[in-house]
Amino acid sequence: METTIMKQNHYKYTKVIRVWLFIGLIMLVGQVILGGITRLTGSGLSITRWDIVTGVVPPLNMKQWQEAFELYKETPQFHKINSTFTLSDFKFIYFWEYFHRLWVRSLGFIFLIPFIIFLLKKQLDWSLVKKLGLVVLLTVITASAGWIMVQSGLVDRPWVNAYKLTLHFVLAVLVISAMVVTVANAYSVKINVSKASKKIVTTILVTAFIQMIFAGLMSGMKAGLYYPTWPDMNGQFIPKELLISENWTWKNMINYDSYLFAPALIQIVHRTLAYLLLFLTIRMFYKLRDEVDSLSKTWIKIPLILVLLQVVLGILTVLNVAGKIPLFLGVSHQLVGLLYFLSILLLHYGIKKAQKKH
């Protein structure tokens, strides 16, 4: 069966709008990656207030830096983990959290002004306005969930709540997903394959989304720190904590800081889903490659390359844990995982769009 990714001479929107949307997508991905860096450097609780307007300006003199540092000294993270921090140490973690917040503010600025201009010039149809409206709504919800997450680490605990972090991360993934669909629509992406082949893509998409949830829990619980071995988990393929029936309680899932049950469960599921996605993606590639032409093979090669790279990065990240997740490997693992999910989403959207035409 011949497949086509339609390159229309007349797109629905101007080149300027298409480029604007693509820049928006890149910035959204960048925001999630900055969130990962903030998490891995322990910077997320360095700024204890959320001032939408005045928060744009960082401390500019020694007095302001000292005031910000004194506010941080009131947090559980300082008392329980970073009590030896100097002002220089504080400036480092402050930078990443500030940059993370500034990036999302810039994203809103880059989106809002062109949106108003395009709207006034009547260059946006109602379909695109609705799609962008969904992106904006999800972004606002994600930002709100982010502040709720930060607050969870300012009282009693030195880290944010893992479940609130996961909610924040999954919402961010949904924002980017909505933007991917918007961009794909603007670029008229369509991929023709059989209905039977679409099923495996759908299966992979659902599995990958579940994996993103467990990725958030892995990060929130710092589960990677407890089992820094591969292919086993500290000498066992199934951690002993999971073999004791009395451990399967909600209390153990909540108290993940004090008992290994939850980190063990989350990590073994995360690893299992990774193997499953690897198998399904390889199967998808061999199933679809005979249905597509040479140009369209790119769209099924990209997920295959990304999933192979992602598995390698995951293994290297685990093996290089030395009391903390290695920053470069951890961030790379998150980025490639996100790109893999988005590549499957784009493939699924293109197939769905093409089949609607028949």
Side-chain angles (χ1 to χ4, degrees), residues 190 192 198 349-358:
K190 298 182 182 69
N192 289 318
K198 180 188 173 184
Y349 174 86
I351 294 172
K352 182 179 178 180
K353 195 73 174 178
Q355 290 183 353
K356 279 186 177 180
K357 298 296 181 180
H358 299 292

Side-chain angles (χ1 to χ4, degrees), residues 35-43 219 324-328 330-331 334:
I37 295 174
T38 300
R39 173 65 178 167
L40 291 176
T41 55
S43 305
S219 176
K324 62 180 180 179
I325 302 296
L327 182 59
F328 176 76
V331 173
Q334 180 181 7

Side-chain angles (χ1 to χ4, degrees), residues 29 39 78 128 162 167 173 249:
V29 172
R39 173 65 178 167
F78 176 80
L128 183 56
L167 175 62
V173 171
T249 64

Side-chain angles (χ1 to χ4, degrees), residues 81-100:
I81 297 176
N82 297 330
S83 58
T84 59
F85 260 32
T86 63
L87 182 59
S88 178
D89 296 324
F90 172 69
K91 286 182 177 180
F92 174 77
I93 63 173
Y94 187 100
F95 165 78
W96 284 113
E97 176 62 10
Y98 172 76
F99 193 30
H100 181 50

Side-chain angles (χ1 to χ4, degrees), residues 21 24-25 28 107 111 128-143 171-172 174-183:
L21 292 172
L25 175 59
L28 283 172
L107 180 59
F111 248 92
L128 183 56
V129 171
K130 287 192 297 183
K131 287 182 173 63
L132 290 175
L134 177 61
V135 173
V136 172
L137 175 61
L138 288 172
T139 301
V140 172
I141 295 173
T142 303
L171 285 170
L174 291 177
V175 172
I176 299 176
S177 298
M179 194 64 193
V180 165
V181 170
T182 302
V183 171

Side-chain angles (χ1 to χ4, degrees), residues 17 67 72 79 120 126 136 149 183 187 196 208 228 321 356:
I17 291 176
E67 290 174 351
Y72 177 67
H79 289 294
L120 291 175
W126 180 237
V136 172
M149 175 193 71
V183 171
Y187 281 86
V321 166
K356 279 186 177 180

